Amino acid sequence: MLKSIRKEVLQANPGLVKYCLLIFTLASYIYACTQSQKEGAEIIPGIIWYDTEGNPINAHGGGIMYHEGTYYWYGEYKGDSTYRLEWVTTWECWRADAGGVSCYSSKDLLNWKFEGVVLPSTPHDTISDLHPSQVIERPKVIYNDKTKKFVMWMHIESPDYEKAHAGVAISDTPTGQFTYLGSFKPNGNDSRDQTVFKDDDGRAYHIYSSEWNKTLYIGLLNDEYTQHTGKYTRNFINLSREAPAVFRHEGKYYLISSGCTGWDPNVAECAVADSLLGEWQIIGNPCVGKDADSTFFAQSTFVLPVAGRKDTYIAMFDRWNKTNLIDSRYVWLPLTFKDGKPVIEWKDKWTLD
Ligand code: DGJ
């Protein structure tokens, strides 16, 4: 019955059908636009995050620098195929080619413009640290007010992760290109997962997993932020911490880190100190609620104090997808304080308000 009515309408009124189709298409288009605007207004942990050109953001293990009203997000620019190095037998060595270090800029921390690969890999230079077969991880950038240079520190590795070097690059502008200065073992020892922290007094520190990841070193950098001074401390001795993320709150320093389980998640831990160089007091897992013991299936990389907002911090994590590394997701969550301790709780979506 319905079928025959539909047939009659179609035959009698083909113009009406075309009109309805047009209205439907227009309505769908408007709906789609509103949806993407909605996505740009909220942080949704764990989804694919698109840049302003509509491409998935490729900035893993990253860090954010705030400079003159703009946030710059630097991260690992991963190649699009993932492979396992079978000749590495001691652990599951999943790799993607190193594409260098990418940079995205934003005024609102939600909509990110791709500024390019500011430290590119060097496919034609097979002996370079930056050849795609090598590993470039966890880049972080700080600005040096004296030299007016942007200084990038990163973890430089051989494909099997045995090299354990720290690499340094500098640039006159936040969006590069950065000039690579080389890599080395700071204070004569390993440097794997790492971050840098610039304190209010202008001093900067390099925080890095050392001694085969067993002990976390914190070293004071020189005035240019390009080398170590030789002043350093050994922290969390034999506790195997990596993925360090450091921030300051009300005169104290906080350090969030993960355990060492390759690309797989584990429980996070927070420590507090009166001085960057220690001593650090462990105060437990900052993550609470469901999936807190696996850090929401992610690993720490950075804690960002939001500019101009008192006590507002974003805890940034990577949810690694070890068999498709480029598709690893970003888990950003609000970090608040309860009873004097940092607390991070899962949110399906949230806004900076
Ligand atoms: C854990 C580290 O935190 C990551 O940055 C990466 O190096 C993986 N290990 C490799 O397994």
Side-chain angles (χ1 to χ4, degrees):
M1 167 82 165
L2 264 178
K3 257 190 189 167
S4 65
I5 296 175
R6 208 185 308 148
K7 208 172 166 193
E8 273 172 40
V9 172
L10 279 174
Q11 280 165 357
N13 224 332
L16 178 71
V17 174
K18 269 193 200 154
Y19 181 70
C20 288
L21 268 176
L22 183 70
I23 296 284
F24 177 74
T25 315
L26 264 175
S28 316
Y29 176 70
I30 291 168
Y31 177 71
C33 289
T34 351
Q35 279 307 97
S36 60
Q37 273 167 26
K38 252 198 218 160
E39 278 179 14
E42 290 167 323
I43 292 177
I44 308 178
I47 61 156
I48 298 179
W49 198 338
Y50 293 97
D51 67 15
T52 51
E53 284 165 22
N55 299 311
I57 293 176
N58 189 348
H60 307 276
I64 292 182
M65 178 193 63
Y66 180 72
H67 186 74
E68 295 180 350
T70 301
Y71 294 96
Y72 297 91
W73 175 0
Y74 301 90
E76 301 158 16
Y77 193 69
K78 290 196 179 290
D80 58 10
S81 83
T82 299
Y83 46 92
R84 184 172 170 183
L85 295 186
E86 299 294 347
W87 53 271
V88 179
T89 50
T90 44
W91 64 289
E92 269 188 68
C93 186
W94 292 97
R95 287 283 333 269
D97 278 358
V101 178
S102 55
C103 174
Y104 294 79
S105 67
S106 174
K107 298 263 185 209
D108 60 9
L109 292 167
L110 297 164
N111 300 288
W112 291 93
K113 176 178 174 241
F114 184 48
E115 297 285 355
V117 180
V118 294
L119 181 71
S121 58
T122 55
H124 302 298
D125 186 353
T126 50
I127 56 162
S128 164
D129 282 348
L130 306 181
H131 187 264
S133 62
Q134 307 301 296
V135 175
I136 307 167
E137 285 183 353
R138 296 187 178 269
K140 306 286 180 293
V141 175
I142 48 177
Y143 179 64
N144 189 304
D145 300 279
K146 285 187 195 146
T147 62
K148 313 269 179 246
K149 301 270 185 210
F150 297 86
V151 186
M152 179 188 293
W153 282 74
M154 70 211 96
H155 173 196
I156 292 289
E157 267 301 350
S158 47
D160 56 359
Y161 285 76
E162 298 251 326
K163 185 167 179 160
H165 276 200
V168 184
I170 53 170
S171 169
D172 292 328
T173 61
T175 53
Q177 287 214 333
F178 280 76
T179 304
Y180 188 60
L181 301 182
S183 77
F184 55 96
K185 281 194 187 245
N187 299 306
N189 221 319
D190 293 346
S191 179
R192 290 195 172 84
D193 277 12
Q194 60 107 56
T195 191
V196 279
F197 180 81
K198 178 180 161 184
D199 209 346
D200 289 352
D201 62 4
R203 289 185 197 195
Y205 300 80
H206 183 215
I207 298 111
Y208 54 104
S209 303
S210 195
E211 300 178 13
W212 287 100
N213 281 352
K214 286 204 179 77
T215 295
L216 193 86
Y217 279 34
I218 302 181
L220 177 67
L221 297 181
N222 66 356
D223 286 349
E224 290 77 31
Y225 303 165
T226 51
Q227 283 171 21
H228 275 254
T229 54
K231 185 172 181 182
Y232 71 96
T233 52
R234 294 170 69 235
N235 306 274
F236 314 107
I237 293 167
N238 290 329
L239 293 182
S240 297
R241 305 309 300 170
E242 61 178 6
V246 173
F247 65 104
R248 189 181 153 141
H249 173 76
E250 290 181 353
K252 288 195 185 294
Y253 301 89
Y254 293 84
L255 192 157
I256 296 177
S257 64
S258 77
C260 294
T261 50
W263 295 111
D264 299 328
N266 53 55
V267 62
E269 192 172 85
C270 187
V272 62
D274 292 326
S275 145
L276 235 307
L277 292 170
E279 293 207 353
W280 291 90
Q281 183 202 346
I282 296 171
I283 53 174
N285 184 3
C287 303
V288 296
K290 190 170 174 285
D291 302 325
D293 284 351
S294 65
T295 318
F296 316 113
F297 307 106
Q299 190 182 27
S300 46
T301 187
F302 200 74
V303 175
L304 175 72
V306 179
R309 299 209 195 185
K310 196 173 175 297
D311 300 342
T312 306
Y313 303 93
I314 301 179
M316 295 166 52
F317 302 88
D318 293 283
R319 184 176 282 171
W320 301 117
N321 179 351
K322 66 182 174 190
T323 55
N324 187 10
L325 282 164
I326 194 175
D327 189 37
S328 302
R329 305 288 173 82
Y330 313 104
V331 172
W332 288 17
L333 291 165
L335 181 151
T336 55
F337 275 82
K338 199 175 170 195
D339 303 328
K341 288 184 181 174
V343 173
I344 306 163
E345 199 172 359
W346 177 259
K347 304 256 177 248
D348 287 336
K349 48 175 80 171
W350 59 284
T351 68
L352 280 166
D353 301 326

